[in-house]
Each structure stands twice: as C-alpha cells, then as structure tokens.
C-alpha cells in the first residue's frame, strides 16, 4: 500500500483541518499502515497525583490513528471514530508520550486498527486501544 500523504503533508493538513490540536503532535515515523506520534503532555493533561489523564491518553490514541488513516487514504477529513476501546495498563509518567498506531484492515467504508501508548522511556506500553473508523463515500 502506498501512502497518499507524506509526514510533512500530513502534519500540515492536520494543522489546517484540526487547528484545536495544532502543535500538540509530532510525527516521528510514517510508513504504510503504521505511524509513530509524540504528544507532549502539559499541565492540562495531568490529573491529581501527577499522572496523565485517561481523556488525554484517549486523545493521543484517537489522533494517532486518525493521522495514520489519513496518510493511507488521503484528504478525507470526515473519516470518524465509530468505536474505541482502551485499556489503561500502567501509570504514565508526566512528559512525552509515544503512540504507535497501525491499520489492521482498510476497507472501502471501515478501517480497523490498534494503538500502543508508551510513556517516559518505559519499555512496556501504558495503554492499548482498538479503534474502528468510518470512511465516508467519495462524492
């Protein structure tokens, strides 16, 4: 499978269509059906006890998969999450988080994949998410 958007094209497109997350994510690696994304956690991502909140980890998983999907299918901004299940397995350290997303199945109307999230150089993932996206029909 050939990528429809390069890492630079994807980063620019995300900033254009999703300005709410502009500057939050850095694409570390992009290849067909896989993407690695860094999110710098800030104070608004922390919950009491100094750990990164579940909603922030969900945002990272969802945005990483969305970016990987757009790289694969091109400029289709209305591809949307239809399902996400996330397991929080370990307490994340504050600071940088890395998401490794992969597309397991890419059909005409649905994409299915998973995301592993790593924190603070820990070797084991801190969270795992399974996602399904709906891809709108071309007009």
């Amino acid at each position: 499978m050939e990528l429809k958007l390069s890492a630079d094209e994807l980063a620019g497109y995300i900033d254009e269509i999703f300005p709410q997350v502009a500057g939050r994510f850095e694409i570390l690696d992009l290849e067909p059906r896989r993407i690695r994304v860094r999110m710098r956690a800030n104070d608004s991502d922390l919950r009491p006890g100094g750990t990164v909140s579940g909603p922030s980890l969900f945002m990272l998983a969802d945005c990483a998969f969305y970016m990987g999907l757009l790289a694969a299918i091109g400029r289709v901004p209305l591809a949307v999450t239809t399902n996400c299940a996330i397991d929080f397995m370990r307490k994340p350290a504050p600071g940088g988080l890395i998401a490794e997303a992969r597309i397991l199945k890419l059909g005409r109307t649905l994409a299915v994949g998973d995301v592993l999230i790593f924190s603070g150089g820990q070797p084991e993932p801190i969270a795992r998410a399974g996602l399904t996206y709906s891809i709108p029909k071309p007009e």
Side-chain angles (χ1 to χ4, degrees):
M1 179 174 101
E2 188 175 313
L3 291 171
K4 300 274 178 87
L5 297 173
S6 70
D8 288 341
E9 290 169 329
L10 178 61
Y13 187 56
I14 291 294
D15 287 349
E16 174 189 328
I17 64 166
F18 202 180
Q20 300 90 331
V21 300
R24 291 290 319 260
F25 302 101
E26 175 187 0
I27 298 168
L28 301 175
D29 187 42
L30 177 62
E31 57 188 69
R33 297 185 182 255
R34 293 182 182 274
I35 189 169
R36 287 183 68 238
V37 175
R38 175 183 289 130
M39 181 180 93
R40 289 176 188 84
N42 57 41
D43 287 343
S44 67
D45 295 310
L46 301 181
R47 60 175 293 237
T51 188
V52 178
S53 70
S56 294
L57 295 175
F58 175 88
M59 178 177 67
L60 172 57
D62 194 36
C63 287
F65 191 79
Y66 182 59
M67 289 188 277
L69 180 60
L70 292 182
I73 66 174
R75 297 173 187 270
V76 185
L78 296 180
V80 295
T81 312
T82 59
N83 187 57
C84 179
I86 189 166
D87 297 308
F88 303 105
M89 302 182 294
R90 292 172 184 77
K91 179 180 175 181
L97 298 165
I98 305 286
E100 297 180 357
R102 62 185 179 153
I103 298 170
L104 301 173
K105 180 188 183 294
L106 180 56
R108 287 180 293 127
T109 60
L110 290 177
V112 178
D114 60 13
V115 179
L116 293 177
I117 299 176
F118 298 85
S119 171
Q122 295 172 300
E124 298 294 323
I126 60 161
R128 181 204 62 86
L131 293 103
T132 303
Y133 260 69
S134 176
I135 302 168
K137 293 179 183 178
E139 294 181 1

